[in-house]
């Protein structure tokens, strides 16, 4: 009896273990071999080939990189794409002014001619990927120094990329996986004419703002709509009025059926960066050095921005995107630290490392790894103070916008003084002229003066005097280290606080005027910070970075060797991945239960006219009162807004398609729950949840609120 019970328990355990597949960001090329069976066991009704096929159109042809850091999906044969509101935010802001405030009021193109161009914005489609490890490591052997090895690899990669592109219009990039143990070649098609089609008002697209950011329960209608345009041959082209909507190989069909607890679901997108396999020393540095510094500095800066934004509508528009970006990282790091401390992750890693070390001594294969932790330890010990200095330099020293801006004149100065510079300075001047207009559009000198006083004083207090640029100490001493007085005077004296002064300089520029820049006090500071970095931080950090990279490569290889039959997924590296799991509620804290979906009722409950983040759109309220949800209502009669699932996601997954068991689109990924933001380092199935905008809420807003129902006619629905 006992034995049977034991086996039953074991069987159950194994069964549970194989269906409980929440952790992992898997490589689409290996889905058939590594994941398909498990995905189907969890409820998936399609095949790996339907998701990612080498030979025929598949879902992958409808997933794109949006701009530099988000994902989007193609939902029509006319190149229409959906991504998050926060991914389109910078673009929506760029089209906004007090007269046309698309951030506040939303924007909808009612026909193709009203769609707005976005210079510089690209959409990237994966054509194919291929394992090129053999070719990348050709001629590389274990006796090589890290530097020589690196050069050999770089050379090989260059050749592979050149070969792959040939004379096609494609772009190629080779990317390292498993910390340099495997390499893949990606062939991409990059579209350059991407137009804004629509965005809801921020009271919907950013509902809850930074108050709710990273949190569940959530009610954000976080979407925006764009369209890919191509040349008449359907290939990428620069913006032109002759361009036509792109005809994709594949598009996503949209399910209106909604989700239930336990449903299988997957996310298909471009997660940016995770660190699942780093040693305890790295986690310790993150939690105890890097995060606390970043959090402290940004808290100060955010306070200043927010006070100014609350008082002035122009400043609110000017600083909206900057503030959102700062606040996003700030809040994530706070959540990450809490999660890691709660899970005792440093201690857990230490005991895993003890196990690994035992293996290195007990197994004939373990020998090359025996010194790993000793070396990791000394590398991280040396790295920690440098990382701290670098964070203070970057976040506080370069925290005032004006210092960064003045610093951007460094190349002009260098070219002007270079006897071989010729007339290169003219090009640089016209680049700076463009930048200057851009910069001042979103700059307020009074706000930045406060930031200057506060952040430079934080920098000065937290960094040892001998590790600070001398020019900072010299200048601040003239004001008895009173940084407010320092800021007040320097903002009056510098040319970089006034657009007219900078434009005048550039308009009448000639190389002998570089002295005027060099004499400027803010430029001197910028140069001081930069030189300090170059002289005292850069080389040593690069050396240690390389050292740590090579140790990490070895450690990764060792981990894979140790657990022969284990299944590994590589850390995120901004390449296409699949995460899968289930729609599932969770317990965020003792005795607290969070259900798996939210509804419009929740928006009405949160409404608070005194809190900017909780203002509710009037038209939305009307639709709510009339319960006018049409075919977008859930079967329970309410309007579902968001839901959560156990898929393992990270930054970059924003805007990713969230699909159901049949491969139909059910939502847009846009966030993670705060209790689970440590999942970049350690995934906890109990508390890690991705947050998804229910596609039906998105369609409801487009159709009923924006009156842009014509867009829905391009889409295919599964009812
Ligand atoms: N936390 C989400 C992400 O990392 C959303 C950020 C944008 N929203 C905001 N309120 N700042 O991108
Ligand atoms: N909001 C994130 C993004 O921009 C996704 C949330 C996350 O980090 O998981 O990609």
């Amino acid at each position: 009896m006992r034995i049977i019970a034991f086996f039953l328990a074991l069987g159950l355990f194994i069964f549970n273990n194989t269906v409980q597949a929440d952790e992992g960001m898997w490589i689409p090329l290996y889905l058939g071999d590594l994941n398909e069976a498990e995905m189907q066991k969890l409820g998936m009704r399609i095949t790996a080939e339907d998701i990612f096929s080498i030979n025929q159109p598949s879902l992958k042809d409808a997933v794109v990189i949006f701009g530099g850091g988000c994902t989007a999906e193609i939902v029509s044969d006319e190149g229409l794409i959906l991504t998050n509101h926060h991914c389109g935010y910078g673009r929506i802001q760029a089209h906004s002014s007090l007269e046309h405030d698309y951030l506040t009021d939303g924007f909808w193109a009612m026909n193709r001619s009203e769609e707005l161009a976005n210079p510089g914005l690209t959409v990237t489609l994966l054509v194919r990927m291929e394992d090129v490890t053999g070719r990348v490591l050709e001629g590389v052997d274990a006796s090589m120094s890290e530097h020589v090895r690196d050069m050999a690899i770089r050379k090989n990669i260059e050749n592979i990329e050149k070969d792959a592109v040939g004379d096609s219009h494609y772009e190629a990039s080779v990317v390292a996986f498993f910390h340099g143990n495997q390499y893949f070649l990606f062939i991409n098609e990059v579209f350059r004419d991407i137009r804004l089609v629509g965005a809801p008002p921020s009271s919907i697209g950013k509902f809850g703002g930074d108050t709710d950011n990273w949190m569940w329960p959530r009610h954000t209608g976080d979407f925006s709509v764009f369209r890919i345009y191509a040349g008449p041959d359907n290939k990428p082209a620069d913006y032109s009025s002759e361009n036509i909507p792109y005809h994709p190989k594949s598009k996503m069909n949209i399910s209106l059926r909604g989700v239930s607890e336990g449903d299988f679901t997957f996310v298909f997108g471009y997660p940016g960066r995770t660190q699942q396999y780093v040693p305890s020393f790295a986690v310790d540095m993150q939690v105890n050095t890097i995060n606390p510094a970043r959090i402290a500095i940004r808290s100060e800066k955010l306070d200043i921005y927010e006070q100014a934004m609350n008082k002035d509508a122009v400043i609110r528009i000017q600083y909206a995107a900057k503030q959102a970006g700062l606040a996003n990282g700030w809040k994530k790091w706070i959540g990450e630290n809490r999660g890691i401390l709660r899970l005792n992750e440093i201690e857990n890693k230490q005991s895993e490392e003890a196990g690994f070390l035992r293996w290195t001594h007990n197994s004939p294969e373990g020998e090359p790894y025996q010194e790993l932790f000793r070396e990791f330890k000394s590398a991280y010990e040396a790295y920690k103070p440098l990382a701290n200095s670098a964070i203070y330099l970057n976040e506080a020293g370069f925290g005032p916008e004006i210092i960064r801006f003045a610093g951007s004149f460094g190349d002009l100065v260098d070219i002007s003084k270079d006897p071989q510079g010729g007339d290169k300075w003219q090009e640089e001047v016209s680049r700076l002229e463009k930048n200057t207009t851009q910069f001042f559009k979103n700059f307020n000198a009074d706000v930045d003066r406060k930031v200057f006083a506060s952040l430079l004083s934080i920098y000065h207090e937290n960094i040892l005097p001998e590790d600070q640029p001398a020019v900072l100490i010299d200048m601040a001493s003239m004001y008895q280290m009173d940084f407010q007085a320092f800021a007040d005077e320097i903002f009056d004296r510098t040319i970089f606080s006034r657009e007219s002064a900078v434009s005048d300089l550039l308009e009448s520029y000639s190389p002998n005027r570089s002295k005027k820049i060099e004499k400027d006090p803010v430029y001197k500071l910028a140069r001081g910070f930069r030189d300090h970095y170059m002289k005292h931080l850069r080389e040593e950090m690069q050396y240690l970075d390389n050292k740590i990279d090579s140790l990490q490569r070895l450690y990764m290889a060792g981990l894979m060797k140790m657990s022969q039959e284990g299944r590994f997924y590589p850390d995120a590296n901004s390449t296409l991945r699949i995460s899968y799991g289930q729609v599932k509620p969770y317990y965020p804290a003792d005795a607290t239960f969070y259900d798996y979906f939210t509804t419009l009722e929740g928006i009405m409950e949160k409404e608070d006219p005194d809190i900017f983040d909780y203002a509710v759109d009037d038209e939305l309220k009307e639709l709510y009162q009339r319960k006018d949800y049409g075919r977008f209502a859930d079967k329970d009669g309410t309007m579902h807004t968001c839901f959560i699932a156990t898929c393992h996601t990270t930054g970059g997954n924003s805007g990713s398609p969230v699909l159901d068991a049949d491969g139909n689109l059910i939502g847009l990924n846009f966030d993670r729950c705060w209790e689970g933001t440590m999942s970049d380092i350690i995934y906890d199935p109990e508390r890690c949840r991705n947050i998804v905008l229910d596609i039906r809420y998105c369609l409801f807003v487009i159709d009923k609120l924006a009156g842009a129902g014509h867009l829905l006619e391009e889409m295919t629905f599964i009812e």
Side-chain angles (χ1 to χ4, degrees):
M1 270 313 274
R2 268 239 180 105
I3 291 175
I4 292 172
F6 173 73
F7 273 110
L8 271 179
L10 192 70
L12 264 182
F13 174 74
I14 289 171
F15 183 72
N16 264 337
N17 232 19
T18 42
V19 288
Q20 202 56 244
D22 318 292
E23 178 176 350
M25 303 171 173
W26 303 94
I27 303 177
L29 199 59
Y30 297 153
L31 213 58
D33 289 337
L34 293 185
N35 311 95
E36 185 183 51
E38 181 178 66
M39 292 168 91
Q40 290 174 341
K41 206 180 273 176
L42 278 162
M44 185 172 79
R45 288 184 286 266
I46 55 175
T47 63
E49 179 80 2
D50 295 326
I51 298 174
F52 185 92
S53 170
I54 300 180
N55 305 309
Q56 52 208 11
S58 57
L59 283 174
K60 88 140 211 302
D61 299 303
V63 184
V64 304
I65 303 176
F66 181 85
C70 281
T71 308
E73 51 278 358
I74 303 177
V75 291
S76 91
D77 292 323
E78 308 267 326
L80 200 65
I81 55 175
L82 298 176
T83 188
N84 289 147
H85 186 261
H86 78 260
C87 295
Y89 202 69
R91 299 295 164 168
I92 304 165
Q93 188 217 14
H95 292 294
S96 296
S97 60
L98 274 185
E99 297 81 63
H100 305 280
D101 187 352
Y102 300 143
L103 275 184
T104 305
D105 306 326
F107 165 79
W108 293 95
M110 285 305 161
N111 55 57
R112 301 271 158 94
S113 70
E114 287 176 10
E115 297 177 356
L116 298 174
N118 299 284
L121 178 61
T122 58
V123 153
T124 304
L125 254 109
L126 174 63
V127 179
R128 63 183 177 87
M129 66 182 286
E130 177 189 334
D131 183 340
V132 289
T133 314
R135 289 172 66 195
V136 170
L137 297 181
E138 219 167 76
V140 171
D141 66 61
S143 70
M144 285 178 165
S145 76
E146 203 51 28
H147 179 66
V148 173
R149 185 181 191 275
D150 225 51
M151 298 227 297
I153 289 182
R154 228 172 268 187
K155 188 100 205 89
N156 288 344
I157 288 182
E158 215 174 276
N159 289 334
I160 297 171
E161 290 177 347
K162 228 190 315 162
D163 279 1
V165 171
D167 48 16
S168 72
H169 69 282
Y170 293 141
E171 296 187 6
S173 67
V174 171
V175 185
F177 281 65
F178 294 112
H179 300 278
N181 285 286
Q182 193 175 11
Y183 288 86
F184 281 95
L185 165 68
F186 293 85
I187 309 283
N188 292 319
E189 202 171 19
V190 182
F191 288 85
R192 305 184 295 274
D193 182 359
I194 311 302
R195 302 189 196 167
L196 175 63
V197 175
S202 289
S203 61
I204 290 175
K206 207 185 166 185
F207 180 78
D210 290 304
T211 315
D212 284 5
N213 189 24
W214 295 112
M215 312 259 260
W216 183 255
R218 190 67 157 280
H219 301 84
T220 313
D222 199 343
F223 76 95
S224 56
V225 189
F226 288 79
R227 192 187 300 281
I228 308 172
Y229 278 78
D233 56 0
N234 207 34
K235 289 193 180 133
D238 288 329
Y239 171 84
S240 153
S241 54
E242 318 282 83
N243 285 351
I244 51 162
Y246 169 65
H247 295 292
K249 273 197 247 169
S250 167
K251 66 164 180 178
M252 300 218 161
N253 295 332
I254 300 173
S255 166
L256 297 179
R257 291 185 193 142
V259 296
S260 305
E261 185 172 342
D263 279 0
F264 171 81
T265 172
F266 66 105
V267 177
F268 201 2
Y270 283 88
R273 185 165 180 268
T274 57
Q275 317 173 62
Q276 314 289 158
Y277 305 101
V278 294
S280 55
F281 314 104
V283 182
D284 172 61
M285 180 172 84
Q286 180 91 6
V287 173
N288 295 317
T289 304
I290 295 181
N291 283 353
R294 298 199 280 204
I295 293 165
I297 300 166
R298 288 202 181 184
S299 298
E300 285 291 323
K301 194 172 182 182
L302 282 165
D303 277 349
I304 297 168
Y305 279 7
E306 280 155 19
Q307 271 177 28
M309 289 166 75
N310 284 339
K311 274 198 222 115
D312 185 321
V314 175
I315 297 179
R316 182 176 299 156
I317 296 177
Q318 287 179 319
Y319 280 77
K322 295 185 246 194
Q323 187 272 350
L326 285 172
N328 194 43
W330 170 81
K331 194 160 178 186
K332 189 199 132 169
W333 298 319
I334 295 175
E336 181 173 86
N337 264 19
R338 289 190 188 178
I340 287 180
L341 292 177
R342 189 180 64 81
L343 291 173
N344 282 320
E345 186 51 18
I346 298 176
E347 290 77 5
N348 293 344
K349 288 252 178 201
Q350 284 166 346
S351 61
E352 280 167 26
E353 286 158 15
F356 182 85
L357 202 59
R358 272 196 302 281
W359 170 77
T360 66
H361 289 286
N362 296 340
S363 153
E365 290 184 304
E367 214 225 295
Y369 312 102
Q370 284 170 359
E371 291 305 309
L372 250 181
F373 297 120
R374 236 193 292 274
E375 291 192 48
F376 261 137
K377 182 163 191 251
S378 76
Y380 275 106
E381 254 161 31
Y383 198 79
K384 217 194 258 189
L386 301 175
N388 188 57
S389 281
I391 297 275
Y392 271 95
L393 187 79
N394 193 35
E395 294 267 341
F398 281 105
E401 294 171 82
I402 203 171
I403 294 189
R404 243 173 236 275
F405 179 56
S408 72
F409 284 68
D411 283 350
L412 181 61
V413 170
D414 292 345
I415 296 171
S416 302
K417 288 165 62 179
D418 178 359
Q420 257 92 58
D423 47 12
K424 266 199 267 166
W425 61 271
Q426 282 165 338
E427 239 172 77
E428 187 58 14
V429 165
S430 61
R431 189 185 72 85
L432 287 169
E433 276 174 333
K434 268 188 231 128
N435 278 4
T436 300
T437 318
Q438 289 255 321
F439 176 79
F440 283 103
K441 180 170 182 261
N442 289 329
F443 177 76
N444 180 293
D446 290 330
V447 175
D448 204 45
R449 196 192 295 254
K450 294 199 179 97
V451 171
F452 186 102
S454 150
L455 294 202
L456 291 193
S457 125
I458 292 184
Y459 180 86
H460 180 67
E461 278 161 29
N462 285 279
I463 297 294
L464 293 174
E466 60 269 30
D467 290 334
Q468 301 183 22
V471 55
L472 173 70
I473 299 191
D474 289 349
M475 283 169 109
S477 329
M478 297 197 287
Y479 304 90
Q480 285 75 45
M481 299 298 162
D482 174 346
F483 281 84
Q484 191 58 58
F486 179 19
D488 283 341
E489 194 172 308
I490 209 170
F491 268 68
D492 290 341
R493 273 175 39 209
T494 179
I495 60 164
F496 293 104
S497 60
R498 282 164 294 131
E499 182 165 12
S500 58
V502 180
S503 318
D504 284 351
L505 172 80
L506 289 172
E507 240 162 62
S508 59
Y509 193 79
S510 64
N512 57 17
R513 302 203 61 195
S514 65
K515 279 185 218 70
K516 182 160 164 84
I517 302 175
E518 285 183 285
K519 273 196 293 201
D520 189 278
V522 177
Y523 180 80
K524 278 190 195 156
L525 271 178
R527 199 78 194 193
F529 278 121
R530 199 191 85 118
D531 291 347
H532 179 76
Y533 170 75
M534 296 301 234
K535 279 202 209 98
H536 301 286
L537 291 172
R538 192 173 70 146
E539 239 169 79
E540 221 181 320
M541 283 181 86
Q542 256 170 17
Y543 168 78
L544 288 168
D545 269 330
N546 290 343
K547 176 91 199 146
I548 288 172
D549 284 352
S550 71
L551 293 172
Q552 189 65 52
R553 180 176 77 238
L554 194 64
Y555 187 30
M556 188 76 236
L559 284 170
M560 291 167 100
K561 228 198 211 110
M562 180 174 75
S563 77
Q564 293 279 331
E565 72 285 14
R567 195 176 53 156
F568 285 85
Y569 63 93
D571 266 322
N573 57 1
S574 296
T575 62
L576 188 59
R577 301 294 181 87
I578 286 154
S579 312
Y580 53 94
Q582 288 167 309
V583 174
K584 205 170 173 182
Y586 74 114
Y587 290 88
D590 189 32
T592 314
F593 176 74
Y594 281 167
D595 213 343
Y596 68 91
F597 69 93
T598 56
T599 67
L600 262 192
E601 333 291 316
I603 296 187
M604 305 306 150
E605 282 170 10
K606 278 180 179 169
E607 179 179 18
D608 184 341
D610 295 333
I611 301 178
F612 181 71
D613 288 344
Y614 290 142
V616 177
D617 187 89
D618 284 336
E619 282 160 76
L620 185 63
K621 246 187 283 185
E622 259 171 53
L623 289 166
Y624 168 74
Q625 269 140 19
R626 291 207 308 266
K627 301 278 177 283
D628 183 6
Y629 307 147
R631 57 177 171 155
F632 310 113
D634 189 77
K635 52 188 175 306
D636 68 10
T638 67
M639 182 78 241
H640 286 205
T641 43
C642 300
F643 65 89
I644 50 174
T646 59
C647 300
H648 191 184
T649 54
T650 187
N653 269 126
S654 273
S656 296
V658 178
L659 301 123
D660 67 7
D662 297 308
N664 295 320
L665 188 68
I666 50 177
L668 269 58
N669 195 77
F670 72 95
D671 212 357
R672 265 177 293 167
C673 297
W674 213 30
E675 300 81 10
T677 44
M678 68 296 183
S679 67
D680 291 351
I681 294 170
I682 173 73
Y683 181 91
D684 173 9
E686 296 303 318
R687 293 193 185 178
C688 290
R689 296 291 180 271
N690 60 316
I691 304 182
V692 185
L693 166 67
D694 193 309
I695 196 68
R696 295 169 300 171
Y697 181 46
C698 163
L699 297 167
F700 161 79
V701 171
I702 296 178
D703 190 19
K704 301 270 181 179
L705 192 119
H710 59 281
L711 295 174
L712 272 54
E713 283 161 24
E714 296 181 36
M715 307 174 189
T716 304
F717 297 106
I718 313 290
E719 310 251 359

